[in-house]
Amino acid sequence: SIVQTYEMHEIKPEVDQDASVDFYDLRLINSVKAGEWLGERMDATDGTPGKTVKGGSVTPVKGKNYPILYDKSNIAEVYENKKTTLYSKINGAVSYVDGKISVSNHLEINGDVNFSTGNINFDGYVTIKGTVSDGFSVVATKDIEINSDLGLGNVKEIVSTKGSVYIRGGIASKKQTIIKAAKSVYTKFVDNTVITAGDSVHIGFYCINSFIEAKELVMDSMKGQIIGGNIRTEIRVSAPIIGSEMERKTIIEVTGFDKEAIKNELEKTFQKIVELKKEQQQLKLALTHLDGKGELNPFQRKEYNDQTERLYSIKDEIKELEEKRKNDSYYLKTHGNGEICIGKKIYPNCTLIIQKNFIEITSPVSSTTYYVQDNQIKQVT
């Protein structure tokens, strides 16, 4: 049988600059409405008779209908014209859990978070079409999107305990607004903000007088600039411009990472993928064997269902491991065990710290990358 299911989109910021407006767009949440398509399976055919090399007939092997694993509480199955189709029962956010396609809780706020809504504390995904008013907070277990072009001011906090945060319009704060994400943070600009992320922080255009802590900080625009504040990452900082003509004090620190450990982890990940793919093939053969038995007894049916569920679970595991392998391979391209990459210029009164090695910038330096090797500061221009 042929099975197709909802494909999750790649999370990648899009930066567009013209003479009047700078756009910073990202689709973070895979949202669907009730009744939307989530997957389908065409019934297997009876097969086509064949012939041996000596001209004898070969009885066709009937095709097998692989099950589509899905959360029955939020997804409906409709069978018509030899095709099974899945539809969402609710408005929600698509995710895959243990190999099953699911639609999770998704809170959509059409306007602003303010006195009419109160603070938001939600178990699931949150999309805010407006902004968050000063003094209010948004806390969610999954991804948070704040889509107003106006951005944020002096909000209390925006926190995703298990996901990422996207703030379309940026953050201009006077009281050091707090943004936290278990995964990544994406925003147009930050001013006087504290950001903590488990993975990456992506900023479109500028970062002013802010404290940021993450695995890496990437300025997505060719005009991106870090001015003032304190940046602390584990792996790298990449920005076209660091500091300013006014020579505002700017501190950039990369604590460094164990490249050999990452290499070893990469090898283990690769080996695990190989093992899982081998198990995947064995399960497919076992399922084909069971399918050829015709009507299954209760024990065989349980075995069939267990193996099918494991097959889909392996698919999920392989996808996660491939993502990890991709990230680790990317980190290994870093110079030394941590780097600070300046695309255009770094101004005086900037302090760079890489694995406790200090670099004081006393005069403008053009495009360069600093890193540490054998406990010595090195440059690539």
Side-chain angles (χ1 to χ4, degrees), residues 56-68:
S57 62
V58 177
T59 303
V61 177
K62 185 177 181 179
K64 171 187 173 185
N65 278 332
Y66 283 103
I68 310 178

Side-chain angles (χ1 to χ4, degrees), residues 144-167:
I144 299 171
E145 285 185 347
I146 301 171
N147 287 312
S148 171
D149 288 331
L150 297 176
L152 305 181
N154 296 315
V155 304
K156 184 179 179 183
E157 62 178 3
I158 308 294
V159 179
S160 172
T161 58
K162 296 180 182 178
S164 298
V165 173
Y166 166 56
I167 302 164

Side-chain angles (χ1 to χ4, degrees), residues 200 215-218 233-238 253-260 262-263 266 326-342 353-355 369-373 378-380:
S200 303
K215 273 191 175 180
E216 66 168 350
L217 168 64
V218 178
T233 71
E234 180 186 342
I235 294 171
R236 67 193 290 260
V237 172
S238 177
E253 180 179 3
V254 175
T255 59
F257 67 105
D258 188 338
K259 189 169 274 190
E260 285 304 313
I262 293 286
K263 286 179 181 177
L266 187 63
K326 177 183 173 183
N327 289 337
D328 286 347
S329 298
Y330 167 70
Y331 295 148
L332 286 176
K333 293 178 182 178
T334 303
H335 291 92
N337 292 331
E339 69 178 17
I340 299 172
C341 181
I342 299 121
I353 309 165
I354 307 177
Q355 291 183 297
T369 296
Y370 294 96
Y371 65 100
V372 170
Q373 192 170 25
K378 298 198 174 182
Q379 277 183 267
V380 177

